Amino acid sequence: MDIQSIIGGLKEKFGDSFDVTKVTAMLKDVDLSKISMPEIMEKVKSAGLIGDLDGDGVKESLFEELKGKVGSMFGK
């Protein structure tokens, strides 16, 4: 898997709620042939590189961000 594919996957999952430059810099030292997309997402999340996913202006835990994003899809 190359970095462009990974960035595309992260954009599909998280939109523009992360800094592409920081994620790219973090991944340049990782052997991408031996890591899965879920592992990459966990690394990005644990590095604090995922931003405000639900758009409420507050950076919360990934669970809270995703909960807020899903709730907003249903008008809650």
Side-chain angles (χ1 to χ4, degrees), residues 23-75:
V23 170
T24 302
M26 182 192 84
L27 293 175
K28 79 175 189 168
D29 295 327
V30 175
D31 183 356
L32 300 175
S33 67
K34 297 180 180 178
I35 192 167
S36 67
M37 195 62 181
E39 290 171 315
I40 291 167
M41 284 188 219
E42 183 59 35
K43 283 187 175 292
V44 170
K45 179 186 80 167
S46 66
L49 299 177
I50 302 285
D52 180 23
L53 299 176
D54 59 5
D56 66 357
V58 178
K59 186 174 175 186
E60 304 153 316
S61 70
L62 182 61
F63 175 75
E64 290 297 321
E65 291 289 351
L66 292 175
K67 186 172 84 171
K69 183 151 180 101
V70 169
S72 69
M73 287 181 198
F74 296 103

